[in-house]
Amino acid sequence: MNRFLGALRALVITAAASISLIAAAQVPAPPEIAARSYLLLDVTANQILAQKDIDSPIEPASLTKLMTAYVVFDALRAKKISLTQTLPVSPRAWKMPGSRMFIDPKMQVPVEDLIKGLIVQSGNDATVALAEGVGGTVEHFVEMMNAQAKVLGMKNTVYKNPEGLTTPGHTTTARDLSTLATRLVRDFPEEAKYYAIKKYRYPGTPSTNETNRNMLLFRDPTVDGLKTGHTDAAGYCMIATARRDFPNLTGGRRLLSIVLGASSETVRANESQKLLNWGYTAYDAVRLFDAGQPAATPAVWKGKDNTLKLGRPEAIVVAVPAGSASKIKTQVSRPDPLVAPFTRFQPVGSLKVTLDDQPVADVPLVALDAVEQAGVFGRAWDAVRLWIK
């Protein structure tokens, strides 16, 4: 079962990385956004709806802590650490400048509290304590961060520290941040709850330090994350994610906005809210096929079954300009002939989605069921039929 779930998770990840917005007719113009760069992603459809300078190198400030959290959550899943386990606070962690959880070397702090300090308070001291607890040293933990960035396909990201303080060469891009944020939510859905916590402080620390800096958590009930960051060099940055219910979408529709280099806390919150609201109104999410529903059932040769069901284990959803759903056209592109065997979830072709004859998305399709190879007689008979064909 674990192998099956692992394969399924890898499949979803591969598809998510492959589905992209290519072009669309009459694309709605995004609002003016007061930031150096920004990106709006429809996570449900995995399509970029709006963007500016998303491949330009930027300093991530405390958005760095998203990767820190990813590595920590991965260590929890692998049972290398536990939520109830306590970690020491080293002098290095205690002396960290910038945002703090206000822990000190006299304390032994549970991992779960350090995670809350990392996420809610953006504590650099909590970050270093976790990095040392998971990686042994901060330096080794940073190596783990960079290795994970490569695995996730973050091609333009280099980490020099786990907390995000300004360091030469510590850079990323809006596109890479969208990859990280999306994978963080998808790979660790149970841990995503920490990003929605509005207030937290460790016993004995200042109550004035308990409020999450993500203003949208207090303004918009559909916002449930994700992280803010600020340094003089980076400006004010925010990654915000929201999930709103729609009758045609089981589990709702999730959008993710990235605003980098805004001029203040208020501006980054306002611009993030503006992007999210625009995305939900300017684009409709259209469910083309349910989870596990075949998009096509073509004939298969030399197999124990005569057909092969092609689809996705999750629902196939695309985002199109509002009011244009009726103009969507789909076409399955696949190899021909299809010759068994096929394993379950084996990639086989794609679903090409167009709007007004312009490409919208190219969704990888997989075999929803395995098709075993036929016996010697069946294969021979189909070989003859294929030759005649």
Side-chain angles (χ1 to χ4, degrees), residues 132-164:
E132 291 174 335
V134 172
T137 66
V138 170
E139 289 71 24
H140 183 242
F141 187 85
V142 172
E143 291 177 3
M144 296 169 68
M145 294 171 67
N146 283 308
Q148 188 62 60
K150 289 182 180 179
V151 170
L152 298 183
M154 299 168 63
K155 299 179 181 179
N156 297 301
T157 296
V158 177
Y159 294 109
K160 298 291 186 178
N161 60 58
E163 78 285 335

Side-chain angles (χ1 to χ4, degrees), residues 100-115:
R100 300 179 63 197
M101 181 183 175
F102 290 99
I103 50 178
D104 63 56
K106 298 188 296 293
M107 300 176 176
Q108 291 279 333
V109 187
V111 166
E112 186 167 28
D113 286 286
L114 289 171
I115 289 172

Side-chain angles (χ1 to χ4, degrees), residues 41-69:
L41 177 72
D42 187 317
V43 178
T44 304
N46 201 44
Q47 293 178 206
I48 295 174
L49 306 184
Q51 60 178 295
K52 175 187 176 184
D53 295 336
I54 63 173
D55 293 313
S56 298
I58 59 97
E59 181 182 319
S62 282
L63 300 183
T64 299
K65 295 183 175 79
L66 292 178
M67 178 58 82
T68 302

